[in-house]
Amino acid sequence: MPSLRPFIVAGIVALVVLLPGATVFVFHQQKLHQHAGAVQVLYKDLLEFRSTLSAINRKILTNENRQEVLDSVVQDTRFLHLRSVAWQSKAEESHMPGLAEWLRSQQLMLNRWLDGMNNDAYPDPDSTITMMLLQLDDVILETSMELQHSHERISSSIQFFLFIVLFVLLMFAVSATGIITVNYRKTVLPLNRLAGRLRSCNKDLPESIHDTVEDVRRHYSHDTFSHDIHQISHSIVTFCQDLEQKNKKLDELFIRDEKTNLYNYRHFRDHLVMDVARARRYNDPISLAMIDIDHFKIYNDNNGHVAGDRVLCRMAEIFIHECRKEDVPARFGGEEFAILFPRTDAGQAHMIVERLRFVISREPFEFKEGQPGGDLTISAGVATFPEDASDWFSLVNHADRALYYAKSMGKNRVMSYADIQLEGP
C-alpha cells in the first residue's frame, strides 16, 4: 500500500543516523581543537623558553666578569625555572608525557646551574646552555610536528564526517526517488482521475454536492485504491458535512441579532405569522408583549453607545432567563424588544412581563443612578389574540399602542390593550 510513510521513515532513519553522529563529531572536534590549542600554546611557550635561554647565554658571553650581569642571569634563570614548571603542568594536561619529562629534566639542570652560581661557581655555557639549546630545538621541532598532526587530524575528522553525511544524504535521495516514483504511479495518477471525476460530477449543480460525494465514496473506496486516496475521499465527505453545518450556522446568524443574540425582527415576524395562524387553527390564545427601555437615549448620550450595548445584552440575558422555554423573545429594533407567548392568555402574559419589569428594575446596571429616578427601567404593552386582535398585524399594533400608553402614564409599568379599552381613548 503506497504512501508517504516509507519516505517519512527514511527521513527519520537519516535523522537518527545523522543527529547522534553529529553530536559525537562535535564532541570529538572539541577535543581535537582543545588538544591543538594546547599544543600551539606549548609551542609558543617553548619558543619563549628558547628566547629566554638564548638571552641568558648572550649575557654570559658578553659580560662574564660583571657582578650585575651575573645577578641578572640568576634572576632570569629562576624566572625560567618557574615558567618551566608551569609548562610542564600544561604538557601533562595535554597528554604529552615526553615533553613533560623533558621539561622536568631541564628543571633539574637549571637547579644545578643555580646551585653552582650560588656557590660562586661560574657556569659553563658551552657544556650547559648549548646542550639545552640543542635539545630545545629538537623538542620545538617535535612539538611543531605534533601541532601539524593535530591540525591534520581535525581536517581528516571533518572530511570523514562530510563523507558520512554525503553518503547518508545520497542513500536518502535514492530511497526518496524510489518512493516518489511508486507513489506517483499508485497515488498521484489515481488522484488526478479522482479530480477529473469531481470536476465532471454535477459541476453545474451546487445543491447536489452530497450526491457527488456519495459517488466518490462508491468509486474510490479503501480496498480499490491506496490509503491516501481513501483519506482524500473521506476528507471530501467530511468537508461537505462541515459545510452543511456551517450553512446551518450561517442561517442561525441570519435570524439572530448580532448584539443581543435574540431573534431579529425578520425571523420574529415569520414566527409570529405562523404562531398566530396555528392559534387560529387550534383556537388557542397567544399573547405579544412590546417592551421599550425607558430614557435609553439619555443613557446612551450620558454613557456612550458601548455602555448602551452592554445594557441591551444584559436585558436580552434577563429575557431568556426569565421567560419560559416556549416563549420567543426578540429584538424588535433599537431599544425595543418583543416577546411572543404561545398558548398564553392576557393574564398570564401580563404576570410574566410584570415579573420581567420587576427583575430589571432591581438589576444593578452600571451608571443607572444617572437615569431619571435613579433606575434603568422598562415599559411594556401586552395584547392577546383573539381577544385584542384578529391577525398578527393588528396584534403588533395593539401591543405597541399599549406600550406607548404605558410610557405616557409615567413609564416603568406594564399595560394591557384591554386596559386601554376599559379606560377609553
Side-chain angles (χ1 to χ4, degrees):
M1 184 171 57
S3 68
L4 291 178
R5 189 175 301 153
F7 184 78
I8 296 174
V9 171
I12 293 175
V13 170
L15 289 176
V16 169
V17 172
L18 288 178
L19 287 179
T23 303
V24 173
F25 170 75
V26 169
F27 283 116
H28 183 61
Q29 283 292 107
Q30 286 180 348
K31 290 184 178 180
L32 291 178
H33 279 285
Q34 288 175 356
H35 180 71
V39 173
Q40 187 170 4
V41 171
L42 283 172
Y43 178 73
K44 293 179 180 179
D45 291 340
L46 290 173
L47 292 177
E48 181 184 349
F49 193 171
R50 192 185 192 289
S51 175
T52 305
L53 194 60
S54 298
I56 293 173
N57 189 36
R58 284 195 302 271
K59 289 180 180 180
I60 294 174
L61 293 176
T62 304
N63 300 288
E64 53 186 30
N65 294 324
R66 294 177 58 185
Q67 183 61 39
E68 61 269 16
V69 173
L70 293 178
D71 293 339
S72 175
V73 167
V74 171
Q75 183 178 359
D76 291 344
T77 304
R78 288 174 179 170
F79 175 75
L80 189 60
H81 180 272
L82 292 175
R83 294 286 290 162
S84 66
V85 173
W87 297 334
Q88 176 191 342
S89 177
K90 289 182 182 178
E92 291 173 350
E93 291 175 357
S94 302
H95 305 288
M96 299 177 68
L99 179 58
E101 184 63 30
W102 181 83
L103 288 169
R104 190 178 297 109
S105 66
Q106 300 307 301
Q107 293 168 23
L108 294 174
M109 188 176 295
L110 290 173
N111 280 332
R112 287 195 297 271
W113 193 9
L114 286 171
D115 291 339
M117 286 189 290
N118 289 333
N119 295 326
D120 296 329
Y122 186 75
D124 184 3
D126 290 334
S127 60
T128 306
I129 296 180
T130 302
M131 184 178 60
M132 292 178 63
L133 288 173
L134 290 174
Q135 292 179 1
L136 186 55
D137 288 339
D138 293 338
V139 172
I140 289 174
L141 179 60
E142 292 176 1
T143 306
S144 174
M145 294 176 63
E146 175 63 23
L147 180 60
Q148 182 179 355
H149 291 160
S150 297
H151 288 298
E152 289 175 354
R153 285 193 291 270
I154 292 173
S155 178
S156 299
S157 175
I158 293 174
Q159 291 176 0
F160 178 75
F161 179 74
L162 290 178
F163 173 77
I164 295 297
V165 170
L166 290 175
F167 177 76
V168 172
L169 291 179
L170 179 62
M171 295 302 296
F172 178 73
V174 172
S175 302
T177 302
I179 293 170
I180 290 172
T181 302
V182 172
N183 279 317
Y184 179 79
R185 288 200 310 266
K186 297 188 177 182
T187 300
V188 177
L189 290 179
L191 179 61
N192 186 44
R193 291 194 292 268
L194 174 61
R197 181 174 291 274
L198 288 175
R199 287 193 298 267
S200 62
C201 286
N202 300 322
K203 62 182 180 180
D204 296 327
L205 299 174
E207 66 275 9
S208 65
I209 293 178
H210 182 73
D211 296 336
T212 302
V213 169
E214 289 300 321
D215 184 66
V216 170
R217 181 184 292 173
R218 264 195 321 271
H219 290 88
Y220 293 88
S221 64
H222 175 68
D223 296 332
T224 305
F225 292 97
S226 70
H227 179 70
D228 294 328
I229 297 298
H230 170 69
Q231 290 293 329
I232 291 172
S233 63
H234 177 71
S235 297
I236 292 173
V237 174
T238 304
F239 171 77
C240 292
Q241 292 173 346
D242 292 342
L243 186 61
E244 290 178 355
Q245 292 178 358
K246 286 180 172 58
N247 285 335
K248 291 180 181 179
K249 290 182 180 179
L250 287 175
D251 292 339
E252 188 73 11
L253 291 174
F254 182 74
I255 65 176
R256 295 281 181 179
D257 174 66
E258 63 177 348
K259 287 184 179 179
T260 62
N261 202 35
L262 297 176
Y263 288 127
N264 56 27
Y265 169 75
R266 183 189 300 105
H267 181 71
F268 179 77
R269 184 188 60 189
D270 295 339
H271 221 296
L272 177 63
V273 171
M274 289 189 297
D275 281 1
V276 169
R278 186 182 296 112
R280 189 191 307 276
R281 184 181 306 116
Y282 294 105
N283 197 26
D284 287 333
I286 182 171
S287 297
L288 173 67
M290 299 295 293
I291 302 171
D292 188 80
I293 304 175
D294 297 329
H295 304 294
F296 192 64
K297 184 178 184 304
I298 296 175
Y299 188 91
N300 269 338
D301 292 343
N302 291 340
N303 306 300
H305 289 280
V306 175
D309 289 345
R310 288 198 292 268
V311 169
L312 294 175
C313 292
R314 182 56 188 151
M315 289 276 187
E317 292 172 356
I318 293 173
F319 292 153
I320 294 173
H321 183 266
E322 296 293 332
C323 287
R324 302 168 302 179
K325 184 177 180 180
E326 63 269 21
D327 298 337
V328 184
R331 186 183 179 193
F332 211 72
E335 68 271 20
E336 194 169 3
F337 298 88
I339 304 178
L340 189 62
F341 302 102
R343 293 182 296 277
T344 305
D345 59 27
Q348 290 177 306
H350 191 281
M351 185 170 53
I352 295 172
V353 179
E354 180 62 33
R355 185 176 71 246
L356 288 173
R357 184 202 64 77
F358 178 79
V359 170
I360 289 172
S361 67
R362 295 295 185 268
E363 179 70 18
F365 293 105
E366 59 179 350
F367 311 125
K368 72 173 188 175
E369 60 277 0
Q371 291 294 99
D375 279 319
L376 193 62
T377 59
I378 61 171
S379 298
V382 180
T384 303
F385 173 89
E387 288 86 353
D388 301 329
S390 58
D391 54 28
W392 71 269
F393 186 76
S394 58
L395 184 64
V396 173
N397 284 338
H398 292 170
D400 210 34
R401 286 183 60 187
L403 166 63
Y404 282 100
Y405 186 74
K407 295 182 80 68
S408 66
M409 295 296 292
K411 300 181 176 61
N412 190 22
R413 66 189 64 223
V414 181
M415 298 295 294
S416 298
Y417 183 73
D419 297 333
I420 302 177
Q421 296 300 103
L422 290 175
E423 295 182 13

